[in-house]
Amino acid sequence: MYRRSGTRLRLVLTATAVLAATAVVPTPALAETPVTDYAVTVDPAGQGPAIDDTMYGIFLEDINRAADGGLYAELVQNRSFEYSTTDNRSYTPLTSWAVEGSAEVVNDGGRLNGNNRNYARLTPGSVLTNSGYNTGLSLRAGETYDFSVWARADARTDLTVTLKDAAGALATARQKAVKGGWKQYRVSFTATRTTTGGRLAVASSGAVALDMVSLFPRDTYKHQSNGLRKDLAEKIAALRPGFLRFPGGCLVNTGSMEDYSEKSGYQRARSYQWKDTIGPVEQRPTNANFWGYNQSYGLGYYEYFRYAEDVGAMPLPVVPALVTGCGQNRAVVDDALLKRHIQDTLDLIEFANGPVTSPWGSKRAAMGHPKPFHLTHIEVGNEENLPREFFERFTQFRTAIEAEYPGVTVISNSGPDAAGATFDTAWKLNRDAGVAMVDEHYYNSPRWFLENNNRYDAYDRSGPDVFLGEYASRGNTFGNGLAEAAFMTGLERNADVVKLASYAPLLANEDYVQWQPNMIWFNNHAAWGSANYEVQKLFMNNVGDRVVPSRASATPSLAGPISGAVGLSTWATTAAYDDVRVTAADGTPLLDDDFSGEPSAWKHTGGGSWTVQDGQYTQTDIAAENTTVSAGDPGWHDYDLHVKATKKEGREGFLVAFGVKDTGNYYWWNLGGWGNTAHAVERADNGVKSTLLTKPGTIESGRAYDIDVKVRGRQVTLYLDGKEWDSFTDDKVAEPFRQVVTRDQKTGDLIVKVVNAQAAEARTRVDLGGARVASRARVTTLAAAPEAVNSETATPVTPVTTTLTGVSDTFTYTFPANSVTFLRIRER
């Protein structure tokens, strides 16, 4: 699905603004293209908020094989034989290894060290062959590859190391003689052919023990040892990120908070703890990754700090708060453990900033970096769903950090959603305590992003500041990128409140995907930026230093009343429904079904199994998700819906839908969602849901609930058992035409940034308020079909740079349909 091609880019020539293009772009006849008229007015003498150099950054979490099998350049998978069913049910200690002869993985006192528990033991004449990631090891003709292995043998044993693929050898086989205790052995290869299906084979002439079998390309990013895959690292660096948030995410606040030791039983599914990830790689313990695989920690805190430094980004680590999230939602009650994690966090700051004479600064220096990393921000916790429990622990971290390191900004968070009870509670706690910065996360539909450009206009200017640490519009089409671009103009306009922002997730290996969308996609031999990447890159490379006040005319709204059919659904739960009635506002009956007969009025569009039982319409498949059935007319509006619902058994409650247009566009009241912890109203737009209302709540099994939904125009009132639960008015405008203007002090440019997220061209009068400007401007345009998707082989969403002539303090420019355009206009 990520290999579709899109329409070609296009620029429109107008009589009043002539483009002298540096690339030839086909232009359709103007008569065939709808045009909407707009005006953008700029106040060049006005003083908008300053924009920090760190405004836009990246969030790097090991999800979708972002680290092992991705940015971390190691080509061997399961190099230390530590894979376990705790990581993934399908794993064994020999996953990714083929055995000829006899080999076993053992866990005994003969191991390499206490953190590296397993090693392989081969009998004479045996061969171990590693298949790497994706289709195999990606090797390029003429490139050098460095092999290493830790080995021991009681008697002299010859190891023969070979690079090959299905067509035969790819390099001259190399031999190493092994004798005695554990020692690291190294050889290098030069590949004679290019392949994406390479294999690494290690053959032994005698009995031998092996561990940490490794193969690295010599040509890594900045040529660092234990380095980073060059093409991925360079693609990220091209964004010019202002900060690097790491290592998570759900990796930080899930699993055991214990350490990896005999005392704790060598916990395999641990939260990401920084001390596990520094020092020699063979001494770093592996861990079960929350996203369903193993993480080697070859890419650890030291490497993250080095990469941030290399790309000129502010390092921003995240540490556990001892309240689990991401569906686990448990507060760890262990005062000694909490104190240990607080001390670990203080030690982390010393590791980053301490002198070489300090205990942890000396460890940094021993790894090759005597100079400090200049850590200024640290985040405690990650979108916890228990705000009060989280904040009690956060406060203890904050107090300890500020006492010892008063110059470090301690960042809190507001939970996993853009609104709702958790969000409101967390924000109140943070605001009342005078927290410096709060991290917000949300993943919503493109429509939500178009509707919420003004989200931060009314935020309190006295603080806390906002860190938008994770956001995306749940898709990698250019239409998603357009919606995100429109939203980003609002982030810049509110740069005095929104200090940091990062799209998420950053990386995805196309063969190991746990989450979509993602900014950069890759396999074992290529990497490509999504449409969203191109949008982010355009903004991140053209930020400016200060916002220049501007305003734009709006697009006429065509929104009518909320209209649509009604529906019933369940999620991993069985439930029964009865007495469904829909009545028009004037009292006219539209639907009345007591299920005394066949449910002929209902259309089954989801999963699960529906049947009439004892006069109730019952969904009986406890494992099925989104089992929707619907009835009625998509044109219905201004009506009252009544449903009687009873949960039978399962993890959640039930769902009652209204305003159902089709399978991807509807509203539903989700009662007992999120593991039966909350009630919420969600709106689906083209299959992507956004949460409009949410409150804590549970649904009891076996109890019949009366549910009523009153729809009037765009206002909806919801009643549970005869009492008003809440109401909302869904009247925000999904404005497709957005703008922001910034000034670049270094170049003297006004940067006019315009998003036109609609099928019509936007013929626009640009008034620069009397500013004296050069007659020529540089124009960078992203324009494509909304459904266009970049892939390894096709990049329909690509920036086109042109030159605009005839610029003055007032001129007309036609912004293409479905486009993001940056005009860099030099002030005289």
Side-chain angles (χ1 to χ4, degrees), residues 217-339:
R218 178 77 57 83
D219 188 19
T220 57
Y221 182 70
K222 302 283 187 178
H223 300 281
Q224 295 178 10
S225 61
N226 195 42
L228 305 181
R229 180 173 148 174
K230 191 173 183 179
D231 62 338
L232 285 178
E234 288 180 341
K235 191 164 286 292
I236 296 169
L239 293 168
R240 298 171 62 186
F243 66 87
L244 167 58
R245 178 178 181 247
F246 64 92
C250 290
L251 303 185
V252 167
N253 68 339
T254 55
S256 169
M257 299 293 163
E258 299 286 350
D259 62 2
Y260 191 68
S261 66
E262 182 178 9
K263 182 179 179 181
S264 66
Y266 296 104
Q267 298 277 350
R268 282 294 302 217
R270 310 182 305 285
S271 63
Y272 197 112
Q273 299 176 45
W274 78 272
K275 289 181 179 178
D276 288 343
T277 75
I278 64 168
V281 291
E282 69 273 8
Q283 295 178 17
R284 302 181 190 182
T286 65
N287 197 6
N289 183 295
F290 172 82
W291 298 107
Y293 53 92
N294 176 277
Q295 52 189 358
S296 72
Y297 288 141
L299 175 56
Y301 258 72
Y302 176 78
E303 289 75 27
Y304 279 121
F305 276 123
R306 283 292 301 270
Y307 187 50
E309 182 178 67
D310 284 340
V311 300
M314 176 184 78
L316 202 166
V318 186
V319 298
L322 274 70
V323 177
T324 60
C326 302
Q328 296 183 358
N329 302 336
R330 180 174 58 90
V332 178
V333 182
D334 185 330
D335 191 55
L337 187 59
L338 176 61
K339 285 182 169 58

Side-chain angles (χ1 to χ4, degrees), residues 401-444:
I401 294 168
E402 291 182 345
E404 193 159 340
Y405 298 103
V408 173
T409 299
V410 187
I411 303 172
S412 181
N413 75 81
S414 59
D417 297 303
T422 296
F423 179 89
D424 292 340
T425 300
W427 257 105
K428 185 177 189 311
L429 291 167
N430 285 307
R431 188 174 290 109
D432 290 349
V435 170
M437 184 175 286
V438 176
D439 185 5
E440 294 188 352
H441 295 177
Y442 38 82
Y443 299 91
N444 290 315

Side-chain angles (χ1 to χ4, degrees), residues 49-50 109 118 196 214 297 338 342 369 383 387 403 406 522 582 588 641 704 709 723 726:
N118 290 350
T196 60
S214 173
Y297 288 141
L338 176 61
I342 292 172
H369 201 282
E383 61 179 49
F522 64 93
V582 182
T588 303
L641 166 64
V709 180
K723 296 180 179 179
D726 211 331

Side-chain angles (χ1 to χ4, degrees), residues 11-86:
L11 291 174
V12 179
L13 305 181
T14 70
T16 52
V18 180
L19 299 179
T22 60
V24 177
V25 183
T27 303
L30 290 177
E32 299 175 0
T33 308
V35 177
T36 303
D37 288 322
Y38 292 91
V40 171
T41 304
V42 183
D43 178 9
Q47 190 87 317
I51 306 176
D52 295 341
D53 292 339
T54 53
M55 172 75 182
Y56 294 122
I58 55 173
F59 168 43
L60 182 50
E61 178 177 14
D62 191 358
I63 182 176
N64 309 309
R65 289 284 187 186
D68 294 305
L71 183 60
Y72 185 47
E74 174 66 78
L75 297 176
V76 176
Q77 184 174 182
N78 190 18
R79 65 183 177 186
S80 60
F81 310 102
E82 297 289 336
Y83 275 29
S84 164
T85 53
T86 304

